Structure formats: C-alpha cells, structure tokens
Amino acid sequence: MSSYQSNQIKLINTSLIDPHPDNPRKNIGDVTDLAASIKANGLLTPLSVVPNGERYRVIAGHRRLAACKQAGIGAVPCFVLQLNPLQQLEAMVTENCQREQLTALEEADAIQGMLDLGATTASVAHRLGRSADYVRDRAKAASIKTEVRAVRDDFGQISIGQLVAIARYDGQSDRQKKLAQAAGTSNFDYILRNIERADRDRQWVESVAALLVEPDNGINLIPDPEKPYSDPEWRYAGCMFPSTGTPEEAIEKIREQNPAAVSIHTVSQQVYLWTRRDKTADAEKEARRAAEQAERDARRHALEEYAAASADKRMAWLHGHLHGIKRDKLIETTARLGLLQIIDPFPNGFTDALTSWNEHSGSRKEYEKISGIAAEDAPTAARISLQTADWPLEAVTILAARIEWFIDAADWTTVNDTSRRIPGYYQILQDLGYTPADDETSHLDQLIAAVTEADSDENEEDEENNQ
C-alpha cells in the first residue's frame, strides 16, 4: 500500500468488514475461482482496512473480501490503516490502477472525488504517476450528468477520448445524449463533426451580427429575424453563408453588393440581403401574371369544352349509325380499332377491358353513350353480345368506347401515346361515314403538325446520338 502501508496485522472477522462505499471499482466481477483458491490455500495477502466505528471498511482487497465471504472464511488478516477520507480515496485509486483495470469512467469519478476532497491536479497526477492533462481529462469526463449516463447500459465502457468529447457539451444534454448513443460506432465522429460545424456556423453568424451593430458601419440592419420573403416593404435579394469567408470578409462583400438592408437568421446560419420593393412595378407584374393566367385558363376552358363537345358528337354519331353499317365493314373496323390500341397506355392493355369493368368505371359511360345500354349493365351486355352473330357491332362499340375513355382535353395539345392515336381514330370513323366539324378539322390539323414536329425532333436527336 505504498506510503499508507502498515506493519501491524490484525485478524478481523469478515462479518465486521464492509466494502468501501467510495471504491472506484463498481463491479468486482466473478470471484468463484478466487474463493476456491482461498478455501484451499488460505488468504495469502492481507486486506487493508480502515476503522469505521466498531466495524471496518476495505481500502485494498475488495475482491479478496468477497471471495473470503463466499468461501466461508471467518477471520482474515488485515492491515489496519489510519487514513483521512482523501487518503482513503487516493489509496483505493492507486490500488485499483496497480492491480485491477478500472474503466475510464470509474477512474474519472474517483479522480474527481479526490479533487472534491481538496487534492490538487498536480498532487493527484503525482500520486497516480500520470500527467496533469491525464487528470484534467478524467475530471472533465466525471462531469457528465447521470441523465446522460443513463442513455445506455454500457456507458461505463466508453473510451476516455469520447467521454471528453461528450463532456465538452456540458449543459447541452440533447447533444450529449446523441453523442453517447453513437459512442463506439463510426457514426460518433460524423455526429461530432456536425455539432462542431453547427457551433462554428453559429459563432460566424454571431460575429457578423456583432459587426453589423457597430455604429457608423453604413449598413442598414433589419432587426426582425423572421422577416418573410413576402414582406410588403422588402424583397429578398440573396444571402451569405459561413462559407463566404471570415466575418470581416462577409461585411466587405455586403458593402460591395450594397443592399438596402440585411437581416440575421441564426436558425439557418445565414445573413439575408434585401432591396426595397417597387410597389408600382410589383403591381404591374402581378397584373401581367393575372392576365396571363386568365388567358391560360380561358384557353384551357375552351379546349375542355371542345373536347367534351367533340367526344359527344363522335359517340352520338356512333350510336346512331353503327347499326346501319355492314357486317364485313364492322369486322374490318374491329381489326383496325384493335390494332390502333395494341400499344395501350393503360398498364394491362386492351385485354383488360372486359375483366376490369367490374372493378372500375373505365369506358363504361362512353359505352353507354354509344350503345344506349346503362353503364352498370355494360359488362353483362357486352359478354352476351360478343357470343352472338352481332359480335362485330359489339366489338366496335367496346373498342370505340375504350378509345373515347382515353382521350382527354390535354391530348389535343400535348404529344403523347393517346394523342398520337387521335388522327388514326378519326380516319377510321371517317371511313365509316363520320364527317368532322370545322373545329375538329382545325384541331386535328394542329395536332398532326405537333406530332410531326415531335417525331422530326426525335429523329434528329437519334441521328446525332448515332454519329
């Protein structure tokens, strides 16, 4: 026991000896093998104890005491020492460091206990044979609060380097807990770097803010940090980040850009630049936007009206004329309509038409307009009719209804799978005797021109890619 050793040995009953409450080693581990050895060979090394009233407390030999009690040993030899609380703790720390490996946290708590009892950093370092930095690091680790230690059962196994990093954020329990949960994993360094970067960014913004409030700096600082982009007086003109440069460099760049005002946003770690709004120009711009939107809405409305009217016209014609078309012509039309839909934008293609009629409303309403049969009766009626000699009429009705279902107002102005079928569909109808109205002819001509232009652009792009 170094300078605290005694030459006097006393036999003391193990029932009178207690573990020391300040023992740095919190878990003495399994002493079964040691108990068997002591039972066979006796206790070869005396315990070191201090008086505690009519009882004693162990200074050195906590594992040996536990093993003796487990082995049923009555009296054991002990060195009885006279030590004050600080000397007791110093002796236990020294003993554990020499004989039994303490965790970094156990050692940290013990060192902090010595400092709390009045020891100096230098004296603790000397006693342990360590450097002052070694002692200071462990004192920092000991400052970690119980609530942070409780985030994981194996907190005591965290390395001293990571404990010191966690302790650095004393008073910021959320950060400490996040770091503690990641300790021992590759994610720890990532989280620590993010925290450090956030602190640097915050310090940058605070430094810029301090420079902006200096008198006579010539920059107008808007005090409201939550100023919205839609502020009626100010228009957002850009921002500066910590990556802009030092706070002094950021101030110089602000002066170069000469905004009407700046504002500080500590949450996003940014400095916003503002110019004054020209309310007259803004009003004119808003009026132009409103007029353009109104024009777009009018065009869309007109297109929707046209699409609905032309669809009703086509289906009314089919309703009134299909029954008068010869069977061979209907068979030919069935084939042509089917071929037109071989590459169907609907996921399962045209083969899904009848089987899916019971699950969704696709083309049922269109079928009703062409056939005159109620939409809810469409699946049954179609299956029955397809098994009769009039199947060509039913097939044309189903196929035409399916195409009508796909055609949307936007398909008249947008080149896509459906719009590419519209000219072919009209050709089939015209071969049956349908006569397009002037507005239909005009829309068809525009659509064909758009498809032709799109195909030309695709061909040119393919040629360039192949060169």
Side-chain angles (χ1 to χ4, degrees):
M1 286 301 301
S2 184
S3 60
Y4 300 128
Q5 187 66 63
S6 170
N7 293 324
Q8 295 182 351
I9 296 178
K10 180 179 179 179
L11 285 175
I12 302 174
N13 196 294
T14 56
S15 64
L16 298 175
I17 307 173
D18 302 312
H20 201 293
D22 295 329
N23 179 30
R25 188 176 178 88
K26 304 305 179 185
N27 184 6
I28 62 173
D30 185 8
V31 296
T32 301
D33 291 343
L34 180 57
S37 174
I38 290 174
K39 190 171 185 178
N41 305 307
L43 181 62
L44 302 180
T45 304
L47 306 179
S48 294
V49 300
V50 293
N52 181 37
E54 296 182 355
R55 300 179 65 79
Y56 297 87
R57 286 178 174 174
V58 177
I59 295 297
H62 284 82
R63 284 177 53 80
R64 283 170 279 157
L65 174 62
C68 286
K69 290 184 176 182
Q70 183 173 316
I73 305 298
V76 294
C78 300
F79 292 113
V80 180
L81 310 176
Q82 299 298 323
L83 305 175
N84 62 35
L86 175 57
Q87 290 172 328
Q88 291 175 32
L89 189 52
E90 286 179 341
M92 285 188 289
V93 173
T94 303
E95 171 72 12
N96 278 288
C97 288
Q98 290 175 347
R99 297 192 179 190
E100 299 166 345
Q101 183 65 44
L102 293 176
T103 66
L105 188 61
E106 288 174 337
E107 188 178 13
D109 288 338
I111 288 175
Q112 185 59 51
M114 295 164 65
L115 296 172
D116 291 342
L117 290 171
T120 65
T121 298
S123 65
V124 174
H126 176 73
R127 181 67 183 171
L128 299 180
R130 302 288 189 176
S131 68
D133 285 342
Y134 183 94
V135 174
R136 280 191 286 266
D137 281 348
R138 278 143 187 82
K140 291 176 186 174
S143 70
I144 300 173
K145 303 292 190 296
T146 302
E147 63 173 311
V148 177
R149 299 185 184 198
V151 299
R152 51 190 295 174
D153 295 336
D154 61 344
F155 189 87
Q157 304 303 316
I158 297 176
S159 69
I160 186 60
Q162 293 187 337
L163 286 173
V164 171
I166 294 170
R168 190 186 310 157
Y169 298 98
D170 185 33
Q172 303 176 52
S173 61
D174 289 345
R175 282 181 165 184
Q176 288 188 313
K177 290 176 181 179
K178 185 179 292 187
L179 286 168
Q181 289 167 343
T185 71
S186 58
N187 204 33
F188 182 89
D189 289 339
Y190 172 77
I191 293 175
L192 182 59
R193 284 195 300 271
N194 283 344
I195 291 175
E196 292 171 341
R197 182 169 57 252
D199 283 346
R200 288 194 301 271
D201 292 350
R202 175 182 52 79
Q203 292 168 4
W204 181 87
V205 168
E206 290 175 352
S207 298
V208 172
L211 293 173
L212 286 172
V213 297
E214 290 182 355
D216 303 325
N217 66 10
I219 299 176
N220 180 23
L221 176 65
I222 302 176
D224 183 4
E226 302 301 328
K227 185 168 290 295
Y229 293 108
S230 58
D231 186 272
E233 181 179 358
W234 301 99
R235 182 190 300 279
Y236 174 75
C239 65
M240 289 189 177
F241 301 87
S243 58
T244 301
T246 66
E248 293 75 15
E249 290 171 341
I251 295 296
E252 288 305 314
K253 290 184 179 180
I254 291 174
R255 287 199 176 96
E256 290 173 6
Q257 296 192 29
N258 193 29
V262 300
S263 61
I264 297 293
H265 295 254
T266 54
V267 175
S268 59
Q269 312 295 354
Q270 296 174 8
V271 177
Y272 287 1
L273 311 182
W274 303 89
T275 58
R276 288 192 181 278
R277 287 186 180 275
D278 183 338
K279 295 182 180 180
T280 301
D282 286 350
E284 293 175 352
K285 185 176 181 180
E286 183 58 34
R288 286 196 302 273
R289 279 201 298 262
E292 291 169 358
Q293 184 60 49
E295 185 179 347
R296 287 193 294 270
D297 291 343
R299 287 198 301 268
R300 184 178 66 253
H301 180 66
L303 183 61
E304 289 172 349
E305 285 188 336
Y306 159 75
S310 62
D312 287 342
K313 180 175 180 293
R314 292 190 301 270
M315 288 184 284
W317 185 89
L318 288 167
H319 176 71
H321 293 80
L322 279 184
H323 287 278
I325 296 174
K326 293 183 179 180
R327 176 184 171 84
D328 58 346
K329 187 64 175 178
L330 290 173
I331 293 174
E332 176 191 338
T333 302
T334 298
R336 293 177 68 185
L337 287 171
L339 288 172
L340 186 63
Q341 298 181 76
I342 283 177
I343 303 176
D344 200 317
F346 194 73
N348 293 325
F350 194 76
T351 57
D352 189 50
L354 289 179
T355 58
S356 64
W357 261 4
N358 288 328
E359 283 75 44
H360 62 71
S361 62
S363 76
R364 278 208 212 175
K365 293 180 180 179
E366 290 75 12
Y367 176 86
E368 178 178 341
K369 291 180 180 179
I370 296 173
S371 67
I373 298 172
E376 60 268 21
D377 298 328
T380 301
R383 290 191 180 93
I384 292 173
S385 296
L386 287 173
Q387 297 175 25
T388 69
D390 289 334
W391 70 264
L393 174 63
E394 187 65 26
V396 171
T397 300
I398 293 171
L399 290 167
R402 189 67 170 171
I403 289 180
E404 293 290 351
W405 179 55
F406 274 121
I407 297 176
D408 185 73
D411 296 328
W412 284 95
T413 56
T414 304
V415 176
N416 56 42
D417 286 342
T418 301
S419 62
R420 290 176 183 276
R421 294 192 182 92
I422 292 176
Y425 179 49
Y426 265 86
Q427 185 61 56
I428 292 172
L429 294 180
Q430 288 177 265
D431 288 348
L432 290 176
Y434 178 79
T435 302
D438 290 343
D439 60 344
E440 287 180 287
T441 301
S442 174
H443 279 87
L444 273 172
D445 290 344
Q446 294 176 32
L447 178 60
I448 292 170
V451 171
T452 301
E453 182 179 356
D455 289 344
S456 176
D457 291 342
E458 289 180 6
N459 291 335
E460 290 179 1
E461 184 176 346
D462 289 340
E463 290 177 2
E464 290 177 359
N465 293 334
N466 292 329
Q467 288 178 354

